[in-house]
Amino acid sequence: MRIDTVRDRITQFSDALARATAPSDAIALLQAELHHIGIEGIDFFGTPRPVTEAGAFREPDYVVSTLPESLVDDYYAFGWDDICPVVDLAYGSSDATLTSSVFADAQAGSKRREMWDAMRDHNVEHEINIPLSDDRYVRQISIYTVGRSAADAARFAEARHLGQGVATQFIYAYEALVHHNGGTDTVALTPRETECLQWVSTGLTNLEIAARLNVSARTVKFHLANAMAKMDVTTRSQAIAEASRHR
């Protein structure tokens, strides 16, 4: 893709973002732009510094992912979140990095290799991770193409630079909308996010929900955080109310 074309598309996307009034508007704009160039997936989070408080990790201000739910379930069930080299990039790198290179030295039988094999089994092989942390925030956005063929690799290589540009523009606009608490509109929750919220409405804890869904409590926490970010709310009671409003 020509450099001037990339620059123009990023400028147009930035102008569209400036007109967004809610976080879900920004997500819709990003997904539409990425789909247009052949990139199907996004995964991003933002946590204010310091990232630990009273000896525990702070809850992120936002976390949104379109990764397959079964892959997310395995991510927490098998403890990959404790060793994930992709998340580590957000804390120690300023360079965009291909996921394939992050896992290049993963040894057979290791948790890292197990995680990488699972990602590839779910056709999440061509992905770039863009750490954008500063002294105030730890943040990162990843974009990926679904598929493992040579054609998929070529499609990703062609689109990744424009994808990286619009993703970088997006994350700051999205964060501003989250903090501004812009208006909330209709959101598309996944079946698992909806299921978790339904159990929350009955008064169950994450651990109790996990037992009913046969997943880990960290998996439930992830799905609830994802749903809350989509709906632009910060508490469980707000999430229940907002989910009910959109039924």
Side-chain angles (χ1 to χ4, degrees), residues 35-48:
H35 276 254
H36 182 74
I37 61 176
I39 293 178
E40 294 93 348
I42 56 174
D43 185 64
F44 64 91
F45 70 91
T47 303

Side-chain angles (χ1 to χ4, degrees), residues 3-227:
I3 293 177
D4 54 348
T5 301
V6 170
R7 184 176 58 248
D8 290 346
R9 289 287 290 273
I10 292 174
T11 299
Q12 292 169 12
F13 178 74
S14 181
D15 290 343
L17 275 178
R19 295 190 292 273
T21 59
S24 55
D25 294 338
I27 292 176
L29 286 168
L30 176 65
Q31 289 180 312
E33 181 65 26
L34 293 179
H35 276 254
H36 182 74
I37 61 176
I39 293 178
E40 294 93 348
I42 56 174
D43 185 64
F44 64 91
F45 70 91
T47 303
R49 293 186 187 272
V51 295
T52 58
E53 191 172 53
F57 279 99
R58 297 177 65 174
E59 292 290 328
D61 274 0
Y62 54 86
V63 53
V64 174
S65 177
T66 61
L67 288 167
E69 290 191 345
S70 56
L71 179 59
V72 172
D73 289 348
D74 288 347
Y75 181 80
Y76 291 102
F78 295 120
W80 298 335
D81 57 319
D82 292 329
I83 55 87
C84 182
V86 172
V87 172
D88 289 346
L89 292 172
Y91 294 88
S93 176
S94 59
D95 298 324
T97 307
L98 293 172
T99 298
S100 56
S101 67
V102 175
F103 286 96
D105 61 351
Q107 298 182 354
S110 67
K111 276 195 171 184
R112 284 194 175 193
R113 180 57 179 269
E114 185 180 62
M115 178 180 170
W116 177 232
D117 288 344
M119 290 180 68
R120 297 178 76 236
D121 287 344
H122 284 83
N123 290 320
V124 182
E125 181 171 352
H126 306 298
E127 178 185 57
I128 189 166
N129 310 285
I130 309 154
L132 297 165
S133 301
D134 53 32
D135 59 358
R136 190 175 62 90
Y137 245 79
V138 173
R139 62 174 77 80
Q140 180 165 278
I141 183 165
S142 303
I143 57 176
Y144 63 88
T145 294
V146 176
R148 296 177 56 184
S149 70
D152 294 321
R155 175 163 54 97
F156 184 72
E158 171 71 13
R160 57 173 279 200
H161 294 295
L162 174 55
Q164 182 176 337
V166 298
T168 300
Q169 293 287 324
F170 160 82
I171 199 73
Y172 294 109
Y174 179 86
E175 191 172 289
L177 287 167
V178 168
H179 291 159
H180 187 261
N181 197 28
T184 303
D185 53 4
T186 302
V187 294
L189 300 179
T190 67
R192 184 53 62 89
E193 290 163 1
T194 299
E195 191 174 20
C196 288
L197 282 170
Q198 288 171 341
W199 284 116
V200 168
S201 69
T202 70
L204 296 187
T205 65
N206 286 2
L207 193 61
E208 291 169 332
I209 297 170
R212 282 162 174 76
L213 300 182
N214 196 30
V215 299
S216 72
R218 286 186 291 188
T219 301
V220 173
K221 181 179 177 181
F222 171 85
H223 289 305
L224 289 176
N226 209 9

Side-chain angles (χ1 to χ4, degrees), residues 187 189 194 197-198 231 238-247:
V187 294
L189 300 179
T194 299
L197 282 170
Q198 288 171 341
M231 294 185 291
Q238 288 173 341
I240 294 168
E242 198 63 29
S244 298
R245 190 170 75 84
H246 291 303
R247 281 177 188 159

